[in-house]
Amino acid sequence: MRQILRFLNGYKKESILAPLFKLLEASFELFVPLVMARMIDVGIVRRDIQSIVWMGVVLFLLAAIGLTASLTAQFFAAKAAVGFSAELKLELFDHIQKLSFGDIDQIGTATLITRMTSDVNQVQGGVNLFLRLFLRSPFLIVGAMVMAFTIDVRAALVFVIAIPILALVVFGLMFVSIPLYTRVQNALDRILNRTRENLTGVRVIRAFNKQEDEKKSFVNENDQLYRSQLLVGRISSLMNPVTYIIVNVSLIALIWIGAVRVNVGILTQGQVVALINYMSQILIELVKLATLIVTMNKAVACANRIQEIFEKEPGLCQTPVPKTPKVVAEGRDQIVFSHVSLRYPNSFEDALSDIDFRVKPGETIGIIGGTGSGKTSLVHLIPRFYDISDGQLLVDGVDVRDYELSELRKKVGIVLQKSVLFEGTIRSNLLWGKKDATQDEMWQALRIAQAEEIVKKKQGGLDEKVEQEGRNFSGGQRQRLAIARALIKKPEILILDDSASALDYATDAALRKAILQEHSGMTLWIVSQRVASVKNADKILVLDDGRVVGMGTHEELLRSCQVYQEIYESQYGKGAG
């Protein structure tokens, strides 16, 4: 929590002024019972109308000054809390952007969303309430007790007994409930993850008729969240009734002692009323303090969860002084995989084992293999989405771990298996590839990606609206637009990771032909399960269970690689050649 509070550094003035104005309000509030006592003892008992009027004016002035101070404090507290929240979200988002694919896989997308939204909002609410009440409530409680002693020492002993008991109850419940709030937030993470999986995989769930199973799983996790919330709610709900009982018993004792001392002439009626008002003030402030503590419990639990993300060091570390890539001479290798292996976090087996081959500039490399053979894992190593576990991977003669990530990824254009378009327009999506791209460059990229006709048929053209995740485009249209976005940056290395799976064979062939014609010097990587997509590649890698089981041209692999032969025959029929 302390480390999270550093985001208040830009709001030091507001963080100081908010509690100070609350103290000013509390100070004036402490004088109200004394004014009431004087109004009763002097104005009412002696029937002094002028005194009653003057005391009424004083009460009005105290209320007006208190209201002004309170509104000012609320303004400063809200400004500090909202600013704190905004800076925290920006820093958290920036930190998440630095995390590797492996880090995000390990933490979980649902968890990151919860901590970016729900947890930050809880901390914001805690900061707001803390700035308003952390000085005011204790000051009023102690101040009311001190003022009670100025009226009558014996009667004030009730305060001395009541306040420590109240503090014990309040802080005892706080220490019990803090771990429980953490458990509630973790249960919320699980149910959010379940909900996200169901929403993204709704078609699969219905296709396999698993609706009832998913409902049962959701009910079980929702029930766990319900029980956790119920437990912490029951404990937190003890705060108000227990404090009310203690304060009301104290009030009974105070009235009894006051009545006895009024009867013998030690106290006046107004003083007894003032003592009761001070006890009522303590009750009100304890209720506020209880609310503050409950809110702070949640805020501290959420702040600790946010801090866990900040403490997560990015899995991809950059060297202090990145090396400058060499200029690759003609005929030299551009990419070298030297006995490379990859093991994902928390995995006991390698996803890739002993990958060893070389690629020259301008070559077309096809990668083929069954599902789960490691095709995507291999190409994700080139832009360093994941770090290799063993071996060495060189790009332009420099180890990828020695590059500055931004420089390495400038060289690489990649179209992932799932084509993602961002909400905006076709133009804004293309500008992701090159932010200063001209209209001619955009149309050229669209033409190569076989997407020119798609855009021309749209009423808005390049300014046609793109909905979230490109929902207003078909799968094939999304793939072609994503390819155009990658092509517009004119990368040295282009990776098409099964990104033409939604295209028909003719469009797929036209796409590959156009890329090779327009970008003859570009090194092209084609990951596919279609033999037709890779058969004309200069070099084809056949993967099976994370290992290269075949390498060569289409004709060479048909003669020498059994796995490739099986894939070919499954698509073209036995005996085809």
Side-chain angles (χ1 to χ4, degrees):
M1 182 70 182
R2 289 180 183 176
Q3 295 178 356
I4 295 293
L5 289 176
R6 73 181 186 274
F7 295 103
L8 275 174
N9 288 341
Y11 300 90
K12 288 180 180 177
K13 181 184 73 174
E14 289 82 0
S15 300
I16 293 169
L17 289 175
L20 285 181
F21 274 100
K22 274 294 181 182
L23 277 182
L24 180 63
E25 178 204 357
S27 301
F28 285 106
E29 196 169 325
L30 285 173
F31 289 108
V32 171
L34 295 180
V35 176
M36 290 293 296
R38 182 171 177 80
M39 184 182 285
I40 293 168
D41 292 337
V42 178
I44 295 175
V45 172
R46 298 179 188 178
R47 296 185 180 180
D48 185 347
I49 302 300
Q50 188 177 1
S51 178
I52 293 173
V53 172
W54 277 112
M55 291 303 104
V57 171
V58 172
L59 284 174
F60 176 79
L61 289 174
L62 289 173
I65 296 169
L67 177 63
T68 304
S70 178
L71 290 175
T72 306
Q74 301 278 46
F75 169 76
F76 285 124
K79 185 178 179 182
V82 171
F84 159 85
S85 172
E87 292 197 12
L88 174 57
K89 283 180 180 176
L90 284 171
E91 185 80 15
L92 185 59
F93 184 80
D94 183 60
H95 183 74
I96 290 171
Q97 293 298 312
K98 295 174 184 174
L99 298 177
S100 68
F101 279 21
D103 297 330
I104 293 172
D105 293 343
Q106 206 169 359
I107 298 168
T109 306
T111 299
L112 291 173
I113 292 170
T114 306
R115 300 191 190 190
M116 174 72 78
T117 52
S118 174
D119 286 357
V120 172
N121 289 340
Q122 291 279 12
V123 176
Q124 177 186 330
V127 169
N128 193 342
L129 208 59
F130 181 77
L131 291 176
R132 286 157 45 198
L133 297 180
F134 87 102
L135 282 181
R136 183 188 191 279
S137 292
F139 176 80
L140 263 176
I141 292 168
V142 175
M145 186 171 68
V146 170
M147 297 299 282
F149 270 98
T150 64
I151 295 172
D152 184 65
V153 174
R154 181 173 291 184
L157 291 175
V158 175
F159 291 78
V160 176
I161 297 169
I163 289 175
I165 296 173
L166 287 165
L168 184 65
V169 169
V170 168
F171 288 102
L173 290 172
M174 179 185 74
F175 285 119
V176 171
S177 56
I178 283 178
L180 295 176
Y181 279 117
T182 304
R183 192 188 302 175
V184 167
Q185 290 300 116
N186 290 336
L188 184 62
D189 273 352
R190 288 193 295 272
I191 200 168
L192 194 69
N193 186 54
R194 171 70 60 181
T195 304
R196 182 176 178 275
E197 282 185 344
N198 274 265
L199 290 174
T200 54
V202 63
R203 290 179 175 84
V204 178
I205 291 167
R206 290 179 182 176
F208 285 89
N209 199 26
K210 289 289 184 180
Q211 295 96 317
E212 292 304 317
D213 293 341
E214 289 302 312
K215 283 178 185 177
K216 288 176 184 176
S217 299
F218 183 86
V219 167
N220 289 335
E221 290 179 2
N222 193 46
D223 190 48
Q224 289 177 12
L225 176 61
Y226 165 75
R227 286 197 300 270
S228 298
Q229 288 178 322
L230 197 62
L231 176 61
V232 74
R234 282 173 175 167
I235 292 172
S236 298
S237 66
L238 291 173
M239 188 87 71
N240 283 354
V242 173
T243 52
Y244 268 98
I245 288 169
I246 296 168
V247 170
N248 284 324
V249 169
S250 303
L251 279 174
I252 292 168
L254 196 60
I255 292 169
W256 180 74
I257 293 169
V260 171
R261 294 177 75 76
V262 167
N263 195 41
V264 296
I266 298 173
L267 290 177
T268 65
Q269 293 171 343
Q271 287 174 324
V272 174
V273 170
L275 287 169
I276 292 171
N277 279 337
Y278 282 128
M279 183 58 77
S280 297
Q281 282 184 351
I282 290 173
L283 171 62
I284 292 167
E285 291 310 312
L286 279 169
V287 171
K288 290 181 181 178
L289 191 60
T291 304
L292 172 64
I293 289 169
V294 169
T295 305
M296 288 307 299
N297 286 346
K298 295 178 182 178
V300 169
C302 292
N304 290 336
R305 284 159 48 82
I306 294 169
Q307 186 58 36
E308 287 175 9
I309 303 299
F310 281 120
E311 289 173 356
K312 179 71 176 177
E313 293 293 332
L316 301 180
C317 300
Q318 299 192 54
T319 53
V321 183
K323 295 180 182 177
T324 305
K326 301 171 184 175
V327 177
V328 179
E330 189 175 350
R332 297 286 300 275
D333 297 319
Q334 183 185 36
I335 299 172
V336 177
F337 280 78
S338 179
H339 303 286
V340 168
S341 295
L342 169 67
R343 179 174 295 181
Y344 287 111
N346 301 324
S347 176
F348 298 103
E349 295 181 358
D350 288 341
L352 295 171
S353 302
D354 197 32
I355 306 296
D356 192 83
F357 66 97
R358 297 166 182 265
V359 178
K360 297 190 184 313
E363 280 191 323
T364 298
I365 308 299
I367 302 178
I368 196 168
T371 302
S373 58
K375 303 186 297 296
T376 295
S377 297
L378 189 149
V379 293
H380 278 185
L381 296 177
I382 300 170
R384 203 184 170 202
F385 290 157
Y386 296 93
D387 259 341
I388 61 177
S389 305
D390 294 300
Q392 190 177 41
L393 172 56
L394 304 178
V395 174
D396 291 345
V398 176
D399 193 305
V400 290
R401 290 166 291 193
D402 292 333
Y403 272 97
E404 188 176 348
L405 284 175
S406 59
E407 289 303 312
L408 174 63
R409 289 170 186 173
K410 279 180 185 176
K411 293 174 168 288
V412 181
I414 186 167
V415 186
L416 302 173
Q417 285 178 321
K418 183 182 178 182
S419 301
V420 177
L421 298 179
F422 295 92
E423 188 174 2
T425 62
I426 293 174
R427 185 190 303 275
S428 68
N429 272 274
L430 292 176
L431 290 175
W432 274 67
K434 185 181 179 184
K435 62 182 179 181
D436 57 348
T438 64
Q439 192 147 307
D440 289 341
E441 288 175 320
M442 291 183 192
W443 283 114
Q444 183 188 17
L446 289 167
R447 185 171 61 255
I448 296 170
Q450 311 302 302
E452 186 178 26
E453 288 302 314
I454 297 171
V455 180
K456 283 184 175 178
K457 287 179 181 178
K458 298 292 182 183
Q459 190 173 357
L462 287 170
D463 296 310
E464 179 72 15
K465 184 179 178 182
V466 178
E467 293 181 4
Q468 190 176 26
E469 296 183 354
R471 285 192 297 259
N472 55 330
F473 291 88
S474 69
Q477 289 173 337
R478 285 198 298 271
Q479 284 189 338
R480 282 178 276 179
L481 289 172
I483 292 168
R485 181 175 59 198
L487 285 169
I488 203 168
K489 68 185 287 189
K490 297 178 181 176
E492 297 174 23
I493 303 163
L494 178 64
I495 300 170
L496 302 180
D497 183 8
D498 206 13
S499 53
S501 57
L503 305 184
D504 58 72
Y505 283 92
T507 306
D508 184 14
L511 168 68
R512 285 182 279 108
K513 182 180 178 183
I515 291 173
L516 293 173
Q517 285 179 346
E518 297 286 340
H519 299 287
S520 56
M522 180 188 294
T523 304
L524 179 62
W525 294 68
I526 302 173
V527 178
S528 182
Q529 295 187 34
R530 293 178 180 174
V531 171
S533 297
V534 301
K535 65 184 296 186
N536 295 319
D538 299 311
K539 187 182 295 179
I540 302 171
L541 273 69
V542 184
L543 295 183
D544 185 42
D545 198 23
R547 294 180 178 276
V548 176
V549 294
M551 187 187 313
T553 63
H554 172 68
E555 290 75 15
E556 290 169 348
L557 290 171
L558 278 179
R559 291 193 300 270
S560 62
C561 182
Q562 184 180 351
V563 174
Y564 190 78
Q565 291 168 5
E566 290 172 357
I567 295 171
Y568 181 80
E569 289 174 1
S570 69
Q571 295 176 18
Y572 289 92
K574 192 160 184 166

